[in-house]
């Protein structure tokens, strides 16, 4: 009996110790050699170091195709992701010199081949709500087509996009990025949690416990220094999104 109690206590302690934040590579593992933000190789490199998840940014092009890139206007060009066609956008060569901006289709094909890594898919806010609804429908269809829906979490700054996804994908976890709503509002909207900036969560550290008490999860971006990593590990967030996943992994192993 005594042994059983000790065993139970050890298991419980183990469970608590295991509740460390999970590592998410921001825009993929793009700081690795030969990589680039939102590239196919950034997902492969994130997968190769054993992160929990790898994040991407998705736009709907002028011809209603889905592509993977962060900025609205690609640096050094006048190509606007919503005003250009997918063909024009996918001609852009990424800074690693070996890849172009990928279609979401190509990206999901790669994700499907790397089952150990979750996809954290950010849908960018678009110029009107109807286009956001269309993009959400197309993303949902693409995730199903590639068989990666169960391994995907959705994030968005737009409440409209979050609610569109919730309707389309009721089983999928959806997190709000914009930082202006407290956990109780997120709970009312039926979302899985908050995914807020370093600045927002440093201003409202109490939101972490409030979220947990409501059964919500907390992700924080973009945490790159060891000092900030330690701060958020101690604060007890569930996920940390970083440009330096191996730095965070090393810290978590200490
Ligand atoms: Mg993003």
């Amino acid at each position: 009996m005594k042994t059983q109690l000790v065993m139970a206590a050890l298991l419980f302690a183990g469970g608590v110790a295991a509740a460390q934040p999970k590592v998410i590579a921001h825009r993929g593992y793009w700081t690795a050699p030969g990589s680039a933000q939102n590239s196919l190789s950034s997902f492969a490199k994130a997968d190769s170091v054993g992160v929990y998840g790898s994040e991407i940014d998705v736009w709907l092009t002028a011809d209603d195709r889905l592509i993977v890139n962060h900025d609205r206007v690609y640096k050094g060009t006048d190509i606007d992701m919503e005003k250009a066609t997918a063909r024009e956008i996918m001609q852009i060569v990424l800074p690693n010199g070996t890849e172009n901006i990928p279609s979401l289709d190509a990206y999901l094909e790669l994700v499907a081949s790397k089952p150990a890594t979750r996809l954290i898919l950010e849908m960018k806010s678009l110029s009107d709500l109807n286009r956001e609804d269309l993009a959400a429908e197309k993303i949902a269809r693409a995730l199903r087509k590639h068989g990666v829906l169960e391994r995907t979490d959705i994030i968005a700054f737009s409440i409209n996009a979050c609610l569109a996804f919730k309707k389309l994908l009721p089983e999928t976890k959806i997190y709000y990025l914009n930082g202006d709503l407290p956990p109780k509002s997120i709970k009312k909207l039926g979302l899985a949690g908050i995914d807020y900036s370093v600045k927002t969560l440093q201003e409202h550290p109490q939101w972490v416990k409030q979220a947990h008490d409501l059964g919500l999860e907390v992700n924080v971006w973009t945490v790159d220094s060891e000092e900030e990593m330690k701060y958020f590990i101690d604060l007890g967030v569930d996920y940390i999104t970083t440009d330096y996943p191996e730095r965070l992994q090393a810290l978590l192993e200490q």
Side-chain angles (χ1 to χ4, degrees), residues 10-196:
L10 282 173
L11 278 173
F12 181 71
V16 170
Q20 278 191 312
K22 296 183 176 76
V23 179
I24 295 171
H26 182 235
R27 306 180 194 170
Y29 191 2
W30 66 272
T31 56
S35 189
Q37 292 187 6
N38 279 306
S39 65
L40 295 177
S41 63
S42 73
F43 190 89
K45 284 172 196 284
D47 178 75
S48 73
V49 298
V51 296
Y52 168 81
S54 187
E55 191 245 4
I56 60 170
D57 303 287
V58 177
W59 288 95
L60 185 68
T61 65
D63 53 342
D64 295 342
R65 302 263 311 276
L66 297 164
I67 58 91
V68 181
N69 181 58
H70 183 267
D71 292 350
R72 166 177 286 281
V73 176
Y74 196 82
K75 207 168 88 183
T77 74
D78 57 1
I79 299 177
D80 181 314
M81 298 298 137
E82 263 196 285
K83 290 180 186 153
T85 63
R87 195 192 158 96
E88 288 164 332
I89 293 166
M90 286 163 41
Q91 278 169 4
I92 294 174
V93 178
L94 295 173
N96 62 5
T98 57
E99 292 174 81
N100 292 47
I101 289 185
S103 65
L104 181 65
D105 234 23
Y107 212 101
L108 295 184
E109 205 176 304
L110 174 70
V111 172
S113 75
K114 307 230 176 263
T117 302
R118 279 188 85 77
L119 178 68
I120 317 302
L121 188 153
E122 176 179 350
M123 191 185 107
K124 305 306 287 187
S125 303
L126 302 177
S127 53
D128 78 67
L129 301 185
N130 290 325
R131 278 182 59 76
E132 287 191 354
D133 292 348
L134 176 63
E137 276 171 39
K138 284 178 170 273
I139 289 169
R141 210 176 304 146
L143 292 171
R144 285 209 174 93
K145 180 181 130 193
H146 289 277
V148 296
L149 180 58
E150 285 73 27
R151 286 170 43 217
T152 301
D153 302 321
I154 302 281
I155 59 177
F157 281 92
S158 158
I159 280 288
N160 175 69
C162 287
L163 296 180
F165 277 113
K166 190 175 153 48
K167 210 180 278 178
L168 290 161
L169 306 171
E171 306 298 321
T172 298
K173 291 205 238 177
I174 300 155
Y175 302 81
Y176 180 58
L177 289 165
N178 203 39
D180 56 330
L181 294 176
K184 64 174 191 297
S185 305
I186 298 300
K187 180 74 179 180
K188 269 186 206 143
L189 292 169
L191 305 182
I194 55 176
D195 186 351
Y196 287 173

